[in-house]
Amino acid sequence: MPTDKLGIDKLVSGILASNKRAVAKAITILENDLPGAAVLLDQVFTKTGNAQLIGVTGPPGAGKSTLIEKITNHWLQEGKKIGIIAVDPSSPFTGGAILGDRIRMKTISSKKNVFIRSMATRGALGGLSPHIREAMQILDAAGMDKIIVETVGVGQSEIDIVKVADTVILVTVPEAGDDIQVIKSGIMEIGDVFVVNKADRPGANKMEILLKSMIHSNNENLTDKNVVKTVASESQGIDELIEVLDNHYHEFQVTGKLLKRKKALLELMLFDIIKNHFANKTLVKIKESDQFKNLLNKLAKREIEPYSALTELAEENQILAAILEGK
Amino acid sequence: MEKKIKVLVAKPGLDGHDRGAKVVARALRDAGMEVVYTGLRQTPEQIVVAAIQEDVDVIGLSALSGAHLHLFSEVVKLLKEENADDIIVIGGGIIPEADQLVLKEKGVAELFTPGTPTGEIVEFIKTNIK
Amino acid sequence: MKDSKYNERKEEFTLSTGEIIKRLYKQKKNVEFLDETALPGEFPFTRGVYPTMYRGRLWTMRQYAGFGSAEESNQRYKYLLEQGQTGLSVAFDLPTQIGYDSDHSLARGEVGKVGVAIDSLEDMETLFSGIPLNKVSTSMTINAPAAILLAMYVALAEKQGVSLEELSGTIQNDILKEYIARGTYIFPPTPSLKLITDTFAYCSENLPRWNTISISGYHIREAGSDAVQELAFTLADGIAYVEAAEKAGLEVDKFAPRLSFFFNSQMNILEEVAKFRAARRLWANIMKNRFNAKKKKSMMLRFHTQTAGAALTAQQPENNIVRVALQALAAVLGGTQSLHTNSYDEALGLPTEKSVQIALRTQQIIAHESGVADTIDPLGGSYYIEELTDKIEKEVKNYIKRIDELGGMASAIEAGYVQQQIQDTAYQYQLDVESGKQVVVGVNEYQSEVEREADLLKVDPAVEEKQSKKLKRLKENRDNQKVTKSLQELKAAAESGNENLMPYILNAVKVYATLGEITDILRDIYGEYRASTL
């Protein structure tokens, strides 16, 4: 167990000193719900809240990783520290996963001020697991200026990205314009910046116009300026994209929208913690109690009704009772 | 919750034959592990950086170019320098017996030659990680 | 057909593609071989590209070899020629294949390992010392820097006083399969294709007997594809090269006769024979109908074959002698133009002189004792072979259609489609071996307890250091002003984008600019390819 080798206190001081091994070990503890996870999160929490959290999503093959590579290189030159979390889906059958995003970020993966971690979705119904957010907090505490989360635009993880990011970049390609279905419902509302990558291919202008028109009908906060054309592989459009990102973030800060967004993210986090705790600890405890088993037997013999069983359970469990009363 | 086993599969050096590495990566995934695949032409330094950031339990190296002696021992050496030698290193490829002995002496945990069933690799990993 | 009295030993019998094999094949109507025009040497060449085939001349026995330093490889070549080998096949080490000099940091541990290290014309002079280039045909397995190694060969010929019209041989020069299966790429696809069409254009003017490309399915099969995928992806690569050359303004009948192919020969003899026959028919039709080629030579698919490295087992290595013999037989029955037979110890390490000799003898026994070379296409007309040939042809066409829909081979590779197809097949094969569905003798059945370690060849570890010293000496002794000038001219030509680079590369190698120096100039301008798919 990592906790035996490195105590949490030592781990936390390592994280605050930007020690990569400590950061990596901490993420493992959180990702696997290992002993000490809660303490660890609490100990770093006051040191978080400084990084810009950026979500990048889009269909497979849109060039998300190359784009991330380029903007990361840009920020590195400004002396920034960048943390990247690349999310790939877990196999629903075996729980295993192949995490292949590192391959696509070769030019930055060994740089001093970059930390890349690959994570699997691990069930969570195809959505982002809460551990992604926890990993981001570790990177935040470790002094990263920008934290980028990349998810493949398949299933729920694409929409979920809004639950962990201040700024969401939606990456698409010109061909996507031929098939409007590619731009799924709901996706337009979550994006802050829209990138038409591989814009040297036919159809780029059409895609750009399409995105702009969809923005107008979906999100009053956005303007045409939030649509950028890039050819990431040739480094084209990267400066423009950075400018849009900076402007968007700046506008968010001065208008107070950022605070609102950050608070919303915290709300989600706290709610997740409560839910998680309640589901994993309290509910499991109730389910494993003798009383529960007795009641179940009675239910099977039709000697008791389900809601009466609930009332009986509440008599033995204060939390459950409090909740029932509160209703 | 049980900790998931995480493995880095890498091809050090210039060799481009990645059939074996990819088959092993899939087999480990199908055994429920999380596999970080880093692709071709990785230097030992890049491999160790990735292994540390990803906090893997195991590094699986594949080389068919005959450069295994230099490349595999370099990975083991760098892990020691980084104080990360709790990460188990295994290797695969065309590796003559004499070289296998040298590599094991240097700290490579096990070597798998052509014809090894992937199940054997899965078993080895499951029994040897703490 | 199920009859309990005649139980079969397997639920189903399958080909490499998973296709089910029938119990018995019977005569079918309209089988193409019955067509009077389908004679060897006639379109579509199903039965062979030449009218006399091996009755006229046997295939070229060409063993791929090279290791360590140029001196050591030169010794091995002379040995092979003395043993009756009829053509040379040069294996380069990985740094050479990826355009790094032996003293580059990424070359550490790799120098001289999978082939010979060539840094400059000086090494090339040593490699062919005592071997007149007009007396041998030389095949070079070189892709990304093929233009540079070809230039060195040309410069050497000039030094030996051999006229360029006399030079015969092949450069592999097939970059697309590097992205798919072999991994020794340098530049992105567009500039890589430009370098390839530059060599096409240069050779069509200067080296009339040189095969400018060897479009290779070998490595695609080694990466785990089945027979149909091997053929489909290779021919699709071929289509991409022809299209690139036409786009560069070359006339199809000028360069197409110098295109050659390279296939794998795997264990299922009859499937392989049908594959080779289908390959000829498919390519002839592609050249005639898709590209409107007029010359017969443009439509002829000539190919080299190598037995399957992936079929060699580390367990009971002597069994590999038999495997290689069967695969070689398939290649000959399939009408190959040249053949490399693997040595039985290659799953363990580099082959020894003795194991190489057995491999070569295997070919000689097939040629002179087996009788299969005494008539043309001896299996033609077999119900099974003919039906299989038709079937493979049809399935390959389906794949090519799919690739066309994806926008051609370059797009299909970029999207990862081709790689994914191969990986799926490779993984399925592995599962079949592990479940016992596919028996591999000595591996998952008929294992022996005692394994004997074979004698292995060791590459002298001092090669790396020697090679680095040699480079240092070379750089001190050559005329560095001339080198700089030639490299600057190359740079300017490459930047202009529309000049054929061959003459500039030739100038640079002649003044002993190194492989790494030349490649670096191009790397700066073209950038490097990075694999993005899993």
Side-chain angles (χ1 to χ4, degrees):
Chain A
M1 286 287 140
T3 43
D4 299 335
K5 201 178 164 188
L6 285 168
I8 297 294
D9 289 348
K10 202 175 154 205
L11 206 53
V12 169
S13 50
I15 294 166
L16 299 181
S18 293
N19 176 303
K20 287 185 176 171
R21 192 99 215 273
V23 170
K25 288 275 176 205
I27 294 176
T28 303
I29 291 176
L30 299 172
E31 193 179 23
N32 293 287
D33 270 336
L34 298 179
V39 182
L40 177 60
L41 272 176
D42 270 9
Q43 287 204 27
V44 298
F45 183 72
T46 53
K47 308 287 180 189
T48 63
N50 307 311
Q52 182 183 1
L53 311 177
I54 298 158
V56 179
T57 191
K64 296 180 291 297
S65 302
T66 313
L67 202 69
I68 290 174
E69 218 180 3
K70 299 291 171 170
I71 52 181
T72 298
N73 264 320
H74 184 103
W75 280 328
L76 284 175
Q77 278 167 20
E78 292 176 358
K80 300 271 195 297
K81 288 183 177 174
I82 317 294
I84 298 168
I85 294 175
V87 184
D88 274 319
S90 298
S91 156
F93 305 108
T94 66
I98 291 184
L99 312 170
D101 287 312
R102 257 198 129 82
I103 265 189
R104 305 185 184 94
M105 300 188 196
K106 254 186 203 163
T107 63
I108 53 169
S109 59
S110 293
K111 295 216 166 136
K112 192 172 150 268
N113 286 337
V114 176
F115 186 100
I116 304 177
R117 179 69 170 234
S118 315
M119 295 178 82
T121 50
R122 297 210 179 165
L125 296 172
L128 286 186
S129 89
H131 301 308
I132 307 287
R133 174 169 47 222
E134 294 169 357
M136 293 169 81
Q137 289 185 334
I138 298 295
L139 292 174
D140 195 343
M144 300 293 163
D145 299 294
K146 315 270 180 186
I147 298 168
I148 306 173
V149 180
E150 178 190 346
T151 65
V152 181
V154 180
Q156 188 61 31
S157 63
E158 184 175 38
I159 308 289
D160 266 9
I161 201 155
V162 77
K163 296 185 188 163
V164 297
D166 302 325
T167 310
V168 173
I169 306 176
L170 175 68
V171 187
T172 181
V173 284
E175 299 85 79
D178 297 337
D179 180 10
I180 197 74
Q181 289 305 109
V182 171
I183 304 171
K184 280 179 272 176
S185 56
I187 196 71
M188 291 306 295
E189 289 99 81
I190 64 152
D192 298 299
V193 175
F194 299 82
V195 174
V196 183
N197 192 31
K198 306 190 180 181
D200 50 348
R201 291 192 186 166
N205 289 333
K206 195 175 142 202
M207 187 71 205
E208 188 187 13
I209 293 165
L210 185 69
L211 282 173
K212 284 179 177 170
S213 71
M214 287 179 81
I215 280 180
H216 291 303
S217 53
N218 275 293
N219 195 330
E220 57 201 28
N221 289 327
L222 301 176
T223 68
D224 281 2
K225 282 188 214 137
N226 294 56
V227 179
V228 189
K229 283 194 288 186
T230 60
V231 185
S233 58
E234 306 284 324
S235 300
Q236 284 172 29
I238 301 301
D239 291 348
E240 290 83 345
L241 175 59
I242 296 279
E243 204 185 316
V244 171
L245 284 175
D246 286 348
N247 288 342
H248 173 260
Y249 199 59
H250 180 72
E251 197 248 2
F252 246 47
Q253 279 172 317
V254 295
T255 57
K257 284 181 193 157
L258 182 67
L259 270 179
K260 246 172 93 184
R261 173 84 68 112
K262 291 237 184 236
K263 205 170 160 191
L265 295 183
L266 287 175
E267 184 188 338
L268 284 167
M269 179 190 82
L270 190 56
F271 190 63
D272 268 349
I273 290 175
I274 295 167
K275 226 167 40 180
N276 215 3
H277 190 84
F278 202 71
N280 289 347
K281 308 277 161 63
T282 313
L283 292 183
V284 169
K285 219 190 217 166
I286 292 175
K287 197 178 153 202
E288 283 168 357
S289 68
D290 290 340
Q291 193 198 10
F292 184 85
K293 285 169 197 156
N294 288 335
L295 287 168
L296 191 62
N297 286 334
K298 283 191 187 173
L299 269 178
K301 292 184 204 149
R302 297 290 187 279
E303 289 171 11
I304 192 175
E305 304 75 30
Y307 281 92
S308 310
L310 177 65
T311 315
E312 272 193 40
L313 280 168
E315 280 165 19
E316 297 288 318
N317 189 298
Q318 289 180 1
I319 298 176
L320 198 55
I323 291 172
L324 286 176
E325 259 167 50
K327 236 171 47 175
Chain B
M1 186 160 139
E2 181 125 332
K3 187 195 169 303
K4 269 213 185 292
I5 299 173
K6 198 167 180 183
V7 184
L8 183 91
V9 174
K11 285 211 48 90
L14 302 177
D15 167 38
H17 297 91
D18 56 2
R19 173 181 182 170
K22 283 175 170 169
V23 164
V24 168
R26 283 197 187 196
L28 298 182
R29 176 200 62 191
D30 288 351
M33 301 181 195
E34 291 182 345
V35 183
V36 181
Y37 185 73
T38 61
L40 302 182
R41 293 194 205 169
Q42 296 285 298
T43 63
E45 290 80 6
Q46 288 170 324
I47 290 168
V48 169
V49 165
I52 287 177
Q53 294 186 6
E54 298 290 352
D55 194 29
V56 295
D57 305 292
V58 179
I59 298 176
L61 300 170
S62 158
L64 290 106
S65 68
H68 47 263
L69 272 183
H70 166 70
L71 294 166
F72 291 9
S73 0
E74 195 66 16
V75 170
V76 173
K77 193 187 105 196
L78 291 170
L79 281 174
K80 278 195 189 120
E81 283 175 19
E82 294 289 332
N83 225 348
D85 48 343
D86 53 319
I87 299 174
I88 295 169
V89 178
I90 58 177
I94 299 175
I95 299 159
E97 222 161 278
D99 292 359
Q100 291 185 28
L101 292 177
V102 175
L103 287 169
K104 282 188 181 171
E105 196 139 293
K106 292 199 171 174
V108 176
E110 191 54 272
L111 292 146
F112 301 95
T113 49
T116 308
T118 54
E120 222 169 85
I121 303 172
V122 169
E123 267 321 297
F124 181 86
I125 292 176
K126 284 187 175 165
T127 9
N128 284 279
I129 61 159
K130 291 129 254 171
Chain C
M1 284 283 278
K2 287 253 160 134
D3 183 337
S4 57
K5 253 170 88 182
Y6 298 102
N7 273 338
E8 296 189 338
R9 66 187 159 80
K10 282 199 219 176
E11 192 70 18
E12 55 183 42
F13 294 80
T14 54
L15 295 168
S16 73
T17 50
E19 183 79 34
I20 293 180
I21 303 168
K22 295 185 212 170
R23 181 184 286 182
L24 187 71
Y25 286 80
K26 300 174 190 167
Q27 188 167 10
K28 265 188 164 183
K29 279 181 185 153
N30 306 322
V31 174
E32 187 144 355
F33 82 95
L34 293 174
D35 190 333
E36 280 299 308
T37 59
L39 293 170
E42 299 292 333
F43 181 88
F45 308 103
T46 313
R47 307 201 63 180
V49 282
Y50 301 121
T52 56
M53 288 303 290
Y54 306 137
R55 288 167 69 100
R57 197 178 139 261
L58 288 167
W59 64 92
T60 305
M61 299 178 193
R62 195 193 293 280
Q63 299 296 91
Y64 183 51
F67 58 92
S69 64
E71 288 85 359
E72 287 169 284
S73 295
N74 177 257
Q75 292 301 315
R76 178 68 66 98
Y77 295 158
K78 285 178 176 162
Y79 170 81
L80 286 167
L81 291 171
E82 279 163 24
Q83 295 295 311
Q85 174 165 309
T86 46
L88 293 177
S89 176
V90 183
F92 296 99
D93 71 357
L94 285 167
T96 306
Q97 293 187 48
I98 306 177
Y100 295 121
D101 285 339
S102 299
D103 57 359
H104 193 282
S105 65
L106 289 176
R108 288 277 329 267
E110 310 268 17
V111 176
K113 284 281 159 58
V114 301
V116 58
I118 300 292
D119 292 325
S120 74
L121 178 58
E122 193 184 28
D123 294 327
M124 204 67 149
E125 288 161 8
T126 312
L127 187 65
F128 290 99
S129 142
I131 302 172
L133 298 191
N134 53 350
K135 294 283 185 291
V136 288
S137 87
T138 304
S139 167
M140 292 190 266
T141 299
I142 193 75
N143 294 281
I148 304 169
L149 273 302
L150 175 63
M152 287 183 188
Y153 198 79
V154 168
L156 177 62
E158 286 177 3
K159 284 196 128 186
Q160 283 191 356
V162 172
S163 94
L164 299 190
E165 284 94 60
E166 286 181 279
L167 283 187
S168 82
T170 309
I171 39 173
Q172 199 162 76
N173 212 13
D174 171 11
I175 199 67
L176 291 174
K177 65 94 175 49
E178 297 295 331
Y179 303 129
I180 304 170
R182 194 166 171 273
T184 65
Y185 42 74
I186 304 175
F187 316 113
T190 307
S192 294
L193 284 170
K194 184 218 164 359
L195 284 172
I196 290 167
T197 51
D198 278 0
T199 55
F200 285 5
Y202 175 83
C203 291
S204 73
E205 296 299 324
N206 301 287
L207 298 175
R209 293 177 61 207
W210 195 266
N211 295 317
T212 51
I213 192 167
S214 172
I215 307 163
S216 307
Y218 181 79
H219 318 89
I220 291 171
R221 192 71 179 274
E222 287 292 293
S225 83
D226 60 39
V228 166
Q229 290 167 334
E230 176 192 356
L231 197 48
F233 299 150
T234 308
L235 296 182
D237 282 344
I239 290 170
Y241 294 126
V242 175
E243 282 172 351
E246 287 200 319
K247 219 173 132 194
L250 302 179
E251 197 188 311
V252 68
D253 280 316
K254 257 194 126 173
F255 67 86
R258 299 319 306 173
L259 304 178
S260 64
F261 289 81
F262 174 20
F263 292 113
N264 200 309
S265 193
Q266 257 284 2
M267 284 311 299
N268 187 327
I269 300 182
L270 301 172
E271 183 181 27
E272 293 303 294
V273 172
K275 176 188 79 181
F276 296 127
R277 299 173 89 248
R280 282 190 291 268
R281 194 194 286 163
L282 278 156
W283 186 247
N285 279 299
I286 288 168
M287 291 311 291
K288 188 177 181 184
N289 303 321
R290 186 171 178 143
F291 294 112
N292 294 315
K294 296 282 175 283
K295 274 193 194 164
K296 207 163 130 184
K297 274 196 161 174
S298 303
M299 304 172 204
M300 282 161 50
L301 177 139
R302 298 169 299 120
F303 67 101
H304 171 68
T305 307
Q306 180 169 339
T307 58
L312 300 176
T313 64
Q315 298 81 357
Q316 307 174 28
E318 293 84 352
N319 295 345
N320 292 327
I321 298 176
V322 181
R323 289 194 178 94
V324 169
L326 295 174
Q327 295 161 357
L329 181 64
V332 171
L333 291 170
T336 192
Q337 274 58 62
S338 60
L339 178 61
H340 165 104
T341 33
N342 289 328
S343 301
Y344 70 88
D345 48 2
E346 287 184 72
L348 301 168
L350 285 174
T352 60
E353 225 163 64
K354 185 182 167 220
S355 67
V356 172
Q357 192 191 56
I358 293 174
L360 179 59
R361 294 288 180 260
T362 304
Q363 292 199 40
Q364 290 160 340
I365 291 168
I366 292 172
H368 302 291
E369 298 183 27
S370 76
V372 294
D374 299 344
T375 186
I376 299 170
D377 188 28
L379 293 184
S382 144
Y383 301 140
Y384 182 37
I385 288 289
E386 294 298 345
E387 197 171 319
L388 217 48
T389 305
D390 292 350
K391 181 124 206 149
I392 290 175
E393 181 188 15
K394 204 173 123 210
E395 283 168 15
V396 168
K397 279 184 179 165
N398 286 339
Y399 258 120
I400 292 179
K401 193 166 157 254
R402 175 89 187 100
I403 290 164
D404 283 339
E405 283 164 4
L406 287 170
M409 203 52 173
S411 307
I413 294 169
E414 199 204 329
Y417 168 76
V418 181
Q419 299 90 314
Q420 199 62 48
Q421 291 283 316
I422 297 170
Q423 282 164 39
D424 288 347
T425 310
Y427 192 49
Q428 189 55 50
Y429 178 80
Q430 181 69 25
L431 296 178
D432 288 349
V433 170
E434 293 187 13
S435 71
K437 189 180 167 205
Q438 171 72 54
V439 173
V440 182
V441 174
V443 174
N444 62 359
E445 275 204 45
Y446 315 112
Q447 293 107 317
S448 306
E449 282 302 313
V450 195
E451 296 283 346
R452 187 181 56 83
E453 180 82 330
D455 297 326
L456 291 174
L457 180 90
K458 270 219 136 277
V459 173
D460 181 2
V463 164
E464 195 162 313
E465 209 190 310
K466 270 194 227 162
Q467 203 59 27
S468 296
K469 277 189 188 147
K470 206 171 157 189
L471 260 174
K472 198 163 164 257
R473 210 170 45 233
L474 173 84
K475 287 182 183 174
E476 282 163 7
N477 294 335
R478 66 185 183 182
D479 185 337
N480 280 308
Q481 260 179 338
K482 280 188 185 162
V483 172
T484 312
K485 184 167 170 277
S486 73
L487 292 176
Q488 274 166 352
E489 285 166 358
L490 171 65
K491 185 167 184 267
E495 277 167 345
S496 84
N498 48 21
E499 276 196 83
N500 189 325
L501 299 187
M502 267 309 283
Y504 297 93
I505 294 173
L506 195 53
N507 280 341
V509 303
K510 278 182 186 166
V511 295
Y512 296 92
T514 67
L515 171 79
E517 288 169 334
I518 296 171
T519 314
D520 279 346
I521 295 282
L522 300 176
R523 263 196 198 101
D524 274 352
I525 299 169
Y526 295 149
E528 286 186 79
Y529 176 78
R530 289 189 296 124
S532 62
T533 46
L534 195 58

